[in-house]
Structure formats: C-alpha cells, structure tokens
Amino acid sequence: MTIKRHIPNIITLFNLFCGCIALVFAVKENFEMAFYFVCLGIFFDFFDGFFARLFKVSSPRGLQLDSLADMVTSGVVPGYVMFLMLSNSVNTNPSLAYLPYLGFIITLGSCYRLANFNIDTRQTDSFIGLPTPANALFILSLPLIIKNSDSLITLELLINHWVLLVITLLSAYVLNAEIPLFALKIKKFNFKDNVLQIVFLLISLVLLMLFQFSGVALVIGFYVLLSVIMNLITGKKA
C-alpha cells in the first residue's frame, strides 16, 4: 500500500520534469521539442489521476502537486512561448519593446484557472473554462504552424503582434470563462455513455492527420465549439 500511495505523485513529478525540459527548449526557440515535452507532460498529467483513482489513493497533497506541476508545463511554458513570439514580431519596432511581456498574461490566466479548479466543486465530471493543458497545446502549436504552413495568410496573421495579443487575451479569458466543457475521461466502458467523447476523438484524429500541427489548434477550437453546441442542446449552464 505504501508504494501505491506514492505512484500517482511520482507520475505528477514526471509531468513537472517534462515541463522544465520543455521550458529549456523554448528558451532555445526549439519549439518542436518544447511541444513534444509538453505533450509528454500532459500524458503524465492524465495518468496520475488515473492511477490515483485506480489505487484509491487520491489526496489533497496530490491535488495541489498536480496543479503546481501543471503551472509549469501548461502555464509558464505557453506564456514564455507567447513572449518569444511577440518578441520576434516586434523586434524591428523599438516603441513596442515592452509588448512581449504581455504574453505572460497566459501564465497569469493559467494560474488563476488552476487555483479556481482546486476549490470549484462543479468540476468533478466536466470543466468550467478551458483546461490549462488544452490551452498549452493550442499556444505551443502556433510557432509550429508558422514554421510548417504554406499559407501566406496564416503566416501574416501569426507574426502580427496585434493578432498575437488578441490570442493572448482570448486565451486567458477562455481559461476562466464560465463555459461548461465536457471531459474526456471514460468512466464506463460502453459506447452509449461515451458517444460524445468517441465522436470528438475520431474527428480530432482526422484533423491531426490532415492538418498536422495546424490540426492541434483546430482540435482545441473544435473542442470548445462542440461543448458550446452541446450546452445549447442540453440547456446546460455553469
């Protein structure tokens, strides 16, 4: 029992470790490796809760540790990546030298969202506002879209500092908006109770296969849109 009690927390620390490595790669502007390590951190973030439930060892310490790890992987890293993107977009305009620091609004919004999640009893089976891992994947996909996209329109938009600032503010808002979003956790292993999750995962797979890094941003946008549509159909409110 003693070993089982520590397994979820060890997995959570792996999440934090991946976030630290992702930050190092982000500093070097190796956005692809930063993206992959954030993905790996999110993978560990999912399974720490899974094993905590499996071993029935959930604890207040584990909850706090999970949020602290997420703060780095899904809060500091995307904020810093946006800082770098804004820095690159204004490097020829000295009058906007302080604008890139606004990229850390994403970090502030993530911090507030994580703190609120820990005390919000409404978020046991679903989410209120966009989860920080989903937001992190969206932000970290942007520099990879710039690198790999053949669309001049997309490129012009994502290197425009005003567009990036709007994305930053929208990101912080959606993280904390009173918008119910469905969870991907499968609690009962049958099709009927997981139709929404299965449909979302299948469409997401198609988007990722067709659009690759651009597909990541599309998947996150689709997740929010699908949740809003389901809320309108079911009349669900926060």
Side-chain angles (χ1 to χ4, degrees):
M1 178 64 186
T2 302
I3 296 177
K4 287 184 178 181
R5 187 177 71 234
H6 293 294
I7 288 177
N9 290 342
I10 291 172
I11 295 175
T12 301
L13 290 176
F14 278 129
N15 171 18
L16 177 58
F17 184 58
C18 289
C20 293
I21 296 175
L23 186 59
V24 171
F25 279 114
V27 169
K28 297 177 180 179
E29 296 196 35
N30 188 337
F31 296 118
E32 189 166 342
M33 289 303 298
F35 175 84
Y36 289 139
F37 271 99
V38 165
C39 288
L40 186 58
I42 292 172
F43 172 82
F44 287 125
D45 182 43
F46 177 84
F47 277 101
D48 61 2
F50 173 82
F51 280 105
R53 291 188 296 272
L54 179 66
F55 297 147
K56 298 180 181 179
V57 292
S58 298
S59 67
R61 181 189 292 111
L63 179 64
Q64 299 302 322
L65 190 62
D66 184 75
S67 291
L68 290 170
D70 281 346
M71 186 56 213
V72 175
T73 305
S74 300
V76 176
V77 176
Y80 186 73
V81 167
M82 182 56 75
F83 165 80
L84 290 175
M85 292 181 68
L86 284 166
S87 296
N88 292 334
S89 72
V90 302
N91 61 5
T92 58
N93 192 339
S95 64
L96 297 174
Y98 294 102
L99 185 67
Y101 293 100
L102 295 180
F104 288 109
I105 289 175
I106 293 172
T107 303
L108 303 183
S110 299
C111 182
Y112 191 87
R113 195 258 187 274
L114 288 166
N116 192 48
F117 178 80
N118 285 352
I119 61 173
D120 192 341
T121 57
R122 299 172 299 168
Q123 301 191 57
T124 54
D125 296 318
S126 60
F127 299 110
I128 306 296
L130 186 66
T132 54
N135 185 67
L137 289 176
F138 177 83
I139 298 300
L140 266 79
S141 72
L142 299 181
L144 299 179
I145 293 172
I146 293 173
K147 180 180 178 181
N148 295 282
S149 177
D150 295 324
S151 170
L152 291 178
I153 296 176
T154 300
L155 181 62
E156 288 296 324
L157 286 173
L158 292 182
I159 63 173
N160 183 290
H161 51 273
W162 298 120
V163 172
L164 292 175
L165 185 58
V166 169
I167 291 174
T168 297
L169 296 174
L170 187 61
S171 168
Y173 169 75
V174 175
L175 280 167
N176 295 283
E178 290 285 305
I179 304 173
L181 302 173
F182 66 89
L184 293 177
K185 296 176 181 177
I186 297 176
K187 294 187 175 181
K188 296 181 180 179
F189 291 94
N190 61 73
F191 181 80
K192 181 180 178 181
D193 292 323
N194 300 289
V195 173
L196 182 61
Q197 288 83 353
I198 292 172
V199 169
F200 171 74
L201 290 173
L202 289 175
I203 294 177
S204 296
L205 183 61
V206 172
L207 289 173
L208 291 172
M209 291 175 64
L210 291 176
F211 301 103
Q212 297 168 351
F213 290 117
S214 297
V216 176
L218 292 173
V219 166
I220 304 304
F222 175 59
Y223 171 58
V224 176
L225 179 62
L226 183 58
S227 294
V228 171
I229 292 173
M230 292 305 300
N231 293 338
L232 293 174
I233 292 175
T234 61
K236 185 175 181 179
K237 298 180 179 180

mmCIF file of all heavy atoms in Angstrom, residues 78 156 183 214 221 236:
data_model
loop_
_atom_site.group_PDB
_atom_site.id
_atom_site.type_symbol
_atom_site.label_atom_id
_atom_site.label_comp_id
_atom_site.label_asym_id
_atom_site.label_seq_id
_atom_site.Cartn_x
_atom_site.Cartn_y
_atom_site.Cartn_z
ATOM 1 N N PRO A 78 3.681 27.907 -22.014
ATOM 2 C CA PRO A 78 2.959 28.634 -23.069
ATOM 3 C C PRO A 78 3.081 30.150 -22.944
ATOM 4 O O PRO A 78 3.126 30.852 -23.961
ATOM 5 C CB PRO A 78 1.506 28.171 -22.901
ATOM 6 C CG PRO A 78 1.415 27.631 -21.518
ATOM 7 C CD PRO A 78 2.768 27.068 -21.217
ATOM 8 N N GLU A 156 1.049 35.577 -42.147
ATOM 9 C CA GLU A 156 0.922 37.006 -41.870
ATOM 10 C C GLU A 156 0.151 37.264 -40.581
ATOM 11 O O GLU A 156 0.470 38.170 -39.815
ATOM 12 C CB GLU A 156 0.229 37.707 -43.045
ATOM 13 C CG GLU A 156 1.085 37.832 -44.287
ATOM 14 C CD GLU A 156 2.313 38.710 -44.072
ATOM 15 O OE1 GLU A 156 2.207 39.702 -43.319
ATOM 16 O OE2 GLU A 156 3.365 38.398 -44.645
ATOM 17 N N ALA A 183 -15.669 16.552 -20.342
ATOM 18 C CA ALA A 183 -14.394 15.905 -20.018
ATOM 19 C C ALA A 183 -14.198 14.694 -20.921
ATOM 20 O O ALA A 183 -15.159 14.094 -21.405
ATOM 21 C CB ALA A 183 -14.380 15.477 -18.556
ATOM 22 N N SER A 214 -1.279 22.329 -37.471
ATOM 23 C CA SER A 214 -2.464 23.190 -37.556
ATOM 24 C C SER A 214 -3.682 22.462 -36.996
ATOM 25 O O SER A 214 -4.596 23.082 -36.450
ATOM 26 C CB SER A 214 -2.730 23.596 -39.012
ATOM 27 O OG SER A 214 -1.663 24.359 -39.524
ATOM 28 N N GLY A 221 -10.037 24.284 -30.854
ATOM 29 C CA GLY A 221 -11.186 25.116 -31.232
ATOM 30 C C GLY A 221 -12.446 24.294 -31.388
ATOM 31 O O GLY A 221 -13.535 24.710 -30.964
ATOM 32 N N LYS A 236 -27.447 23.160 -20.678
ATOM 33 C CA LYS A 236 -26.541 23.129 -19.553
ATOM 34 C C LYS A 236 -25.895 24.484 -19.319
ATOM 35 O O LYS A 236 -25.456 25.135 -20.265
ATOM 36 C CB LYS A 236 -25.440 22.073 -19.761
ATOM 37 C CG LYS A 236 -24.510 21.898 -18.574
ATOM 38 C CD LYS A 236 -23.529 20.767 -18.804
ATOM 39 C CE LYS A 236 -22.620 20.562 -17.612
ATOM 40 N NZ LYS A 236 -21.664 19.454 -17.815
#
